[in-house]
Structure formats: C-alpha cells, structure tokens
Amino acid sequence: MPYTQRRRTEEPGGSSDSSRAERELSPQDPAERARAICLRLLTGTPRTRKQLADALAKREIPDEVAQEVLCRFEDVGLINDAAFADAWVESRHHGRGLARRALARELRTKGVDAALIDDAVGQLDSDQEEMTARELIARKLRATRGLERDKRLRRLAGMLARKGYSEGMALRVVRQALEEEGEDTEGLDEGFD
C-alpha cells in the first residue's frame, strides 16, 4: 500500500503527530497525557509554569493532575520561572533593545511572578538602559535625516517609547543625538513635555 494511502487510513483528517500521540495515550491516564503535553511544549522553547498550566487546562487535564505534573517538572528543573525571566530579559534587551518597563510587561503576560520579574529586570541598571537607547537612536538617526526637526524628534522618541523607555529618557537621548549631529535643539523640550 502506498505511503499516502496508508497514512490516510491510519489518520483520518490528516492530524499532526503530536495530537495523534496525545490521542493514543489512555484517556484514563491524564497524568501521562499531561507529561506528554508538557514535554512536547518544552521541546522547542522554554515556557513558564503558567503557560504550561494554561495549555493543560485547554486540553482538559484535571487541575489536581496538572498541578502534580507541573510541581514534578519544577522539582527536576524542567520548569524554572526565575531562569526563564533572566534569559528573557537578557535576550530581549540585547536583541530588541527593550527597556525594563517593556520587559516587565512581557513577563507579566507570560505569567511570571512579580518578585521574579523584579529580580530579572533588576539586572539592568539605568546606565545600561540609557546606553541601549543611545545605540537604538544611532541606528535610526540616519533614516530620519531630511525630515524637519520636530518630526524627527517624534519619530525617534516614539520608537524608544514603544520599546518601553520613559519619556524623559527618550527625549534626553534624542536631543543629545540631534545636538551631536549639529541640529538646533533649543526649545525642543517645551513642545513635548
């Protein structure tokens, strides 16, 4: 029998291997199903406990079974929200230039505990954050040449604001960058406070 026909008869509807594996597990053993779901989700990307709990709830794993499996995964180190938060901050700050405020917001949406968020974003100090803001502005400055001064300021400060930088820091960094370029910045702060 050709492979395509055999596959069609074995898997009506052409479902994926991972969902087939979940179906093949005994419905009477939700703990085994929960372990398989968690392991599959952790294979490609680290996840928070809340992300895994949400995935288990979505697949109708009983809460007590889900909690037992998640606690076991924490005990053996497969789930570690503190390490996840630290790695997230490191990666997203250096890779995307996100400020502490944006990083904290992202970690909150992933279900990381507030104390762990504070510890993770505490790795970044104001000087690091400002240096990253300067690097971001230096990369974008050339693209705004030829625009009027106020429009440049709005674009550059807006870019930093979207990355979670405070208005004060964004304006200060942009103003300094424009001054270094020889732009007249007198009166800039008045229109954007």
Side-chain angles (χ1 to χ4, degrees):
M1 177 185 281
Y3 175 75
T4 55
Q5 285 180 331
R6 183 175 53 234
R7 183 164 177 83
R8 218 176 289 131
T9 58
E10 290 175 9
E11 289 186 71
S15 61
S16 70
D17 291 337
S18 61
S19 60
R20 184 183 76 214
E22 287 176 24
R23 277 197 322 271
E24 288 175 356
L25 292 172
S26 167
Q28 289 77 17
D29 191 7
E32 193 59 38
R33 278 185 53 227
R35 281 190 289 278
I37 291 166
C38 288
L39 286 172
R40 183 178 52 79
L41 289 173
L42 288 168
T43 298
T45 304
R47 309 224 186 228
T48 64
R49 181 182 173 112
K50 181 180 183 327
Q51 288 175 309
L52 293 171
D54 291 347
L56 294 176
K58 182 179 175 185
R59 290 176 178 87
E60 299 176 357
I61 301 293
D63 285 341
E64 60 278 353
V65 172
Q67 292 308 314
E68 179 183 315
V69 168
L70 293 172
C71 286
R72 178 67 182 139
F73 273 48
E74 277 183 328
D75 290 345
V76 298
L78 291 173
I79 302 173
N80 184 337
D81 283 359
F84 176 90
D86 290 344
W88 188 266
V89 166
E90 178 74 20
S91 169
R92 302 285 284 178
H93 178 72
H94 293 292
R96 303 257 339 256
L98 298 182
R100 291 179 287 194
R101 187 169 58 183
L103 293 165
R105 183 176 49 243
E106 286 183 347
L107 288 170
R108 272 193 302 278
T109 64
K110 297 202 173 291
V112 177
D113 181 67
L116 296 177
I117 292 172
D118 290 343
D119 289 345
V121 298
Q123 297 173 31
L124 300 175
D125 62 21
S126 303
D127 294 337
Q128 280 179 297
E129 204 171 46
E130 188 165 332
M131 186 172 61
T132 302
R134 288 180 192 289
E135 291 169 2
L136 289 168
I137 291 300
R139 281 186 267 174
K140 296 289 184 186
L141 203 55
R142 188 176 337 176
T144 64
R145 285 193 185 120
L147 297 175
E148 63 183 52
R149 182 192 68 173
D150 290 348
K151 193 169 192 175
R152 287 182 87 186
L153 175 69
R154 282 193 302 275
R155 285 211 181 151
L156 294 168
M159 182 262 302
L160 289 178
R162 288 187 297 277
K163 292 185 177 284
Y165 292 89
S166 69
E167 182 181 0
M169 180 186 286
L171 290 174
R172 184 176 67 251
V173 169
V174 171
R175 183 178 186 168
Q176 288 171 352
L178 292 175
E179 284 174 354
E180 288 171 8
E181 238 188 22
E183 188 84 50
D184 176 23
T185 59
E186 192 170 318
L188 265 183
D189 295 334
E190 296 159 10
F192 297 92
D193 281 341

